[in-house]
Amino acid sequence: ASGISQQRNRQRNLWSKVRRFIMARLSLTVSVAVLGMLGYAAGAPSKKCDECAKEKDDYCEIFPNDHRVCDSECGFEFDDATQKCWIAGTAPVIAASDGNSAPIIGGSGKFRYQYMPDLLIPPAGASTANCHGLSIDADENIILTYQGMNKDPHCLITWKPDGTGGEFAAKDSPELCQGTPHGLKITTEGDGKQYLYHANNAQKLAKTTLDGEILWIREGNFGQNDTCLPDSCPNNSCKCTNGGKTLPYIPTWFATPPDSKYMYLCDGYGSDHVYAFESATGRYMNKSWGGRSPAGLHPGAAAQSQPHGLFMENHGCTYDPRPTTEPHTIIVSDRRNMRFEFFHYDPAGYETFEWYKTVDMGAQLGPDTLPCNMRMTYGSKFDPAQEGRSVVPDLNGPVAVLDSNHKVLSVVNVSVLLAAEQQLHPHDAIFLKNGDIVVATWAPGRVSYWKLLPTSDEE
């Protein structure tokens, strides 16, 4: 009897092990299925990418050889301590004046600049995924538009003329700030007041007061002809939506000439058209120019042979007040074609946008240059004493100072000098009234102050 009992005990133990094995397998199968429904693949890392990672695809289309970003799962990730995006897997570094470190200086000749790490500090609570556009108001305050993230609902920061005292705009709102705030221009209009014009990549255009109060806003299609034609996206340079019927529309910047009641919108990440609007109302004037140039996103040596008036990323649009260019000029940054295109407009109407000149930046800054903008005012106004100089932020890393003939006088290699802080891709840059430079960078978002150094009489 005891032998039979022992045999039964062994059988029960065996069946118990079998049941445990089966249940464990079932549990694993269910867990894998549940994880699959949640978007995780078996064996894939469970880490969830945050909002900073949204730039990875666009970034790697432009800079495919940056393996730190493009070979990682997320590309960029948010750091709670600094409230900034960083290249994934890198350690955050924030510079500050400690009295011991050697100053960071860039440029050459009469145009040498020292980085001032203790200036342009964002206010508490700011989370700058990308820093995009800069303007200066009549009181010489510095204004930045940026793409916030996490719990930051803002998109406008203002600093005093000396780069201190950063504050959020009092009346910017989610209606203005949601999406990707990008281009920013300021204009003094007939009533003597100043207004900001915003181009948001999320198909949103707005006019606001300096404190961000919306005066008009246009979302989505504004009445433009958005029919996708066979030559709308040459060399697969873009994708038409709605089953291939609708042109892409991703606006980047306004040009706002002060002597006209009309302004001009560059659709720099979309169709590469230029559209005319009435400034006071935001009404589209049913007039457009441009479109994409035939060589596509990576034109290489063919860039300068592209037809004038067609673009590959007409990224920045700027009114040029200098007497060294022809009257009534708007300069368009044709970024992928590595050039600036100059156009006449008619201050009395909106029917004219005529090309008359091109400046090739590839010959001066190299075959990888990506000029984002050209800015030529010193602070809030054009200053004849500055001899028509301009500043050009290059997404590939440098910021260049040009003379009135558009020749490079000096280059501040921002991406090299501030590599540790990951200030890598200058997206906008402006002169201050005293000749200092402010630079805003993209992916990741930063803003920096560069003080013009005194020179000797011999220089």
Side-chain angles (χ1 to χ4, degrees), residues 298-318:
H298 302 283
Q304 287 306 307
S305 65
Q306 296 306 289
H308 299 300
L310 296 180
F311 314 101
M312 192 53 61
E313 283 185 1
N314 59 350
H315 181 264
C317 295
T318 301

Side-chain angles (χ1 to χ4, degrees), residues 8-230:
R8 287 175 176 172
N9 286 336
R10 285 196 296 270
Q11 289 175 338
R12 281 196 295 268
N13 290 337
L14 176 62
W15 278 111
S16 178
K17 291 179 181 178
V18 170
R19 283 196 299 271
R20 287 197 298 269
F21 175 78
I22 292 172
M23 292 303 295
R25 296 293 295 178
L26 285 172
S27 177
L28 176 61
T29 302
V30 171
S31 297
V32 170
V34 170
L35 286 172
M37 288 187 290
L38 292 174
Y40 296 98
S46 60
K47 177 182 177 181
K48 181 180 178 182
C49 297
D50 56 42
E51 291 182 68
C52 294
K54 292 179 180 178
E55 296 296 330
K56 180 185 174 184
D57 288 347
D58 288 342
Y59 183 95
C60 292
E61 192 281 317
I62 301 173
F63 302 109
N65 295 322
D66 190 341
H67 298 292
R68 295 180 305 167
V69 174
C70 302
D71 291 352
S72 68
E73 179 186 1
C74 299
F76 301 95
E77 59 190 8
F78 187 73
D79 174 65
D80 289 325
T82 60
Q83 290 290 293
K84 297 178 185 294
C85 296
W86 296 83
I87 294 174
T90 60
V93 175
I94 297 295
S97 300
D98 57 13
N100 298 313
S101 300
I104 296 174
I105 296 173
S108 59
K110 294 182 178 180
F111 303 99
R112 298 170 65 247
Y113 301 84
Q114 180 176 334
Y115 172 51
M116 308 300 288
D118 296 330
L119 298 179
L120 300 179
I121 304 300
S127 297
T128 54
N130 290 293
C131 294
H132 281 140
L134 293 160
S135 286
I136 305 291
D137 70 16
D139 295 323
E140 307 301 332
N141 297 306
I142 303 162
I143 306 172
L144 167 74
T145 189
Y146 69 99
Q147 179 186 356
M149 58 179 298
N150 293 344
K151 297 180 180 180
D152 181 1
H154 299 282
C155 59
L156 288 172
I157 298 174
T158 299
W159 289 272
K160 296 176 183 178
D162 63 358
T164 63
E167 295 182 348
F168 293 118
K171 296 182 179 180
D172 66 353
S173 63
E175 184 180 9
L176 176 68
C177 297
Q178 284 177 352
T180 305
H182 189 273
L184 186 71
K185 284 293 172 65
I186 190 169
T187 303
T188 303
E189 301 190 354
D191 58 4
K193 296 181 180 179
Q194 290 196 301
Y195 300 96
L196 295 172
Y197 289 91
H198 308 253
N200 188 311
N201 292 164
Q203 300 187 343
K204 185 158 50 178
L205 313 172
K207 177 180 182 177
T208 73
T209 61
L210 296 189
D211 58 6
E213 181 180 3
I214 295 172
L215 301 176
W216 57 252
I217 192 164
R218 303 286 178 265
E219 298 191 56
N221 184 298
F222 48 79
Q224 77 271 35
N225 182 350
D226 60 4
T227 302
C228 187
L229 301 175

Side-chain angles (χ1 to χ4, degrees), residues 4 21 76 87 126 205 239 276 294 308 319 356-357 379 404 411 428 455 458:
I4 294 174
F21 175 78
F76 301 95
I87 294 174
L205 313 172
K239 292 182 179 180
H308 299 300
Y319 162 73
Y356 74 89
K357 184 172 72 172
S404 61
V411 173
D428 201 10
T455 60
E458 289 79 20

Side-chain angles (χ1 to χ4, degrees), residues 286-339:
N286 200 32
K287 188 69 177 177
S288 67
W289 304 265
R292 292 210 155 191
S293 55
L297 282 170
H298 302 283
Q304 287 306 307
S305 65
Q306 296 306 289
H308 299 300
L310 296 180
F311 314 101
M312 192 53 61
E313 283 185 1
N314 59 350
H315 181 264
C317 295
T318 301
Y319 162 73
D320 188 348
R322 296 174 294 180
T324 53
T325 52
E326 295 185 17
H328 314 309
T329 289
I330 287 174
I331 302 175
V332 175
S333 165
D334 187 8
R335 192 164 74 177
R336 296 292 186 109
N337 287 326
M338 300 178 285
R339 64 188 185 180

Side-chain angles (χ1 to χ4, degrees), residues 263-274:
M263 60 186 183
Y264 302 85
L265 174 70
C266 281
D267 185 19
Y269 297 154
S271 67
D272 274 306
H273 283 94
V274 177

